[in-house]
Amino acid sequence: MYWYNGELIEDERISLGIDDIGLLYGATLFTTLRIYQQSLDHPLTHWQEHLQRLHSSLQVFQWSDPDWQRIRQGSEKLSLLYPVLRITIFADGREWIKGRFLPEDLHLRQERGIIGWVIDNPAWQRVLGEHKTGNYLTPWLASQTAQKKGAKEAILVDRVGNWLETSTGNLWGWKDNCWYSPLLTADILPGIGRSALIGWLKKQNISLQENLWTPEFVRTLEGIAYSNSLVEIIPFNSILGWDLQINTAIYRQVLPDLQQYFSSQLEDNK
């Protein structure tokens, strides 16, 4: 079941014209959000922030605005069935909303951590990295390659090897009683979860620095994690091909700094 162009449709296929530029060139924008407690207005859902990011990109691309009320209507209907929604906007303003479920092993990933893999081809650059476009080939290729190598998540780098983000989220590092996040560049998507967590850390007076993640800097980190609007926070327990001294034992002490943001919001909105 999905929502397309003002209609709720029960089917596993969508009908697009063979000359649709969304199909031909990936000329779409999208955002993926987790619906907390089946409510678009729950503070952790970040409904307005997701819409604002879409709106900002639409303005940059000079594309037609969608019917925002229809997007709200379709999202409300699907949020009763799915905890995760992907909202896609076509260049002419059509909307397509599809739902999915959370990973079955999400709790284990959050608790035990995952294996990461750093892409070995710096030429794999994300298209218009600061926008979430339908041309998502690079992250998808990176994710598929990582899984073939036995990892759960890929880490994207720039042309000189600096770490940018993962194939689905933003990076976090810990050392010397301070959290670190890669400095936003045109190659990094400004994640909504990232912004919320930065605001939370500042509010709690927890040390945070945004900096360039050179290979030399990465090797000094004691812990590395990533975040997105769907999975919240997931630590890495190892990075394939990198001799990193990740101190997995420290996660029990430092991850609550970030996890508390989610638990406090859930507690306040019972």
Side-chain angles (χ1 to χ4, degrees):
M1 182 176 291
Y2 61 90
W3 176 276
Y4 176 61
N5 204 24
E7 294 184 48
L8 190 63
I9 300 172
E10 288 194 55
D11 202 339
E12 294 183 353
R13 301 185 180 187
I14 188 170
S15 178
L16 297 175
I18 60 173
D19 58 351
D20 192 301
I21 61 172
L23 175 63
L24 292 175
Y25 307 118
T28 62
L29 292 166
F30 78 95
T31 191
T32 303
L33 59 160
R34 179 169 170 178
I35 312 299
Y36 286 81
Q37 298 175 355
Q38 295 186 321
S39 172
L40 300 184
D41 297 317
H42 192 287
L44 287 178
T45 300
H46 293 294
W47 174 253
Q48 291 299 330
E49 290 88 341
H50 282 278
L51 293 191
Q52 181 57 48
R53 184 167 67 184
L54 288 170
H55 179 67
S56 296
S57 293
L58 286 167
Q59 288 187 313
V60 171
F61 295 166
Q62 298 183 18
W63 287 359
S64 300
D65 269 320
D67 185 326
W68 297 106
Q69 185 55 44
R70 278 199 332 209
I71 289 176
R72 173 85 188 197
Q73 181 184 359
S75 297
E76 285 180 337
K77 290 181 179 296
L78 290 175
S79 67
L80 300 177
L81 304 173
Y82 302 102
V84 178
L85 299 183
R86 171 176 164 143
I87 301 173
T88 300
I89 309 296
F90 290 81
D92 61 3
R94 283 171 294 146
E95 80 282 358
W96 170 33
I97 310 169
K98 66 184 296 290
R100 70 175 190 261
F101 298 100
L102 292 166
E104 292 183 359
D105 63 344
L106 178 57
H107 179 70
L108 288 178
R109 296 187 200 184
Q110 293 170 331
E111 184 176 293
R112 300 179 183 179
I114 63 170
I115 298 172
W117 172 72
V118 181
I119 66 171
D120 51 14
N121 187 347
W124 284 9
Q125 298 293 303
R126 204 153 66 80
V127 177
L128 298 170
E130 71 272 34
H131 302 280
K132 204 157 187 178
T133 71
N135 188 340
Y136 224 59
L137 180 59
T138 296
W140 182 84
L141 282 175
S143 178
Q144 294 299 302
T145 305
Q147 291 176 41
K148 291 177 183 177
K149 293 177 178 290
K152 282 285 190 182
E153 187 75 3
I155 295 169
L156 307 182
V157 300
D158 64 18
R159 294 187 182 278
V160 295
N162 299 319
W163 289 24
L164 299 173
E165 58 188 346
T166 76
S167 52
T168 65
N170 293 110
L171 286 163
W172 298 88
W174 169 268
K175 73 166 185 171
D176 300 332
N177 295 314
C178 181
W179 282 105
Y180 292 83
S181 179
L183 191 66
L184 288 182
T185 69
D187 297 316
I188 298 177
L189 181 73
I192 290 169
R194 175 186 183 275
S195 297
L197 287 169
I198 286 177
W200 168 259
L201 291 174
K202 290 180 178 179
K203 183 179 179 181
Q204 301 301 312
N205 293 317
I206 296 172
S207 295
L208 165 73
Q209 290 189 36
E210 298 178 68
N211 67 326
L212 191 65
W213 279 35
T214 65
E216 294 74 23
F217 169 76
V218 169
R219 290 188 176 92
T220 69
L221 293 172
E222 299 175 60
I224 304 172
Y226 83 99
S227 68
N228 66 35
S229 295
L230 192 160
V231 303
E232 298 178 351
I233 298 292
I234 293 183
F236 289 100
N237 52 46
S238 64
I239 306 293
L240 295 177
W242 283 64
D243 185 22
L244 299 179
Q245 302 303 312
I246 295 179
N247 180 7
T248 55
I250 205 172
Y251 287 141
R252 293 182 180 273
Q253 303 173 36
V254 303
L255 279 182
D257 288 347
L258 301 177
Q259 294 166 334
Q260 189 181 359
Y261 165 71
F262 300 97
S263 60
S264 64
Q265 294 289 334
L266 287 170
E267 184 66 28
D268 291 343
N269 286 272
K270 280 185 176 179

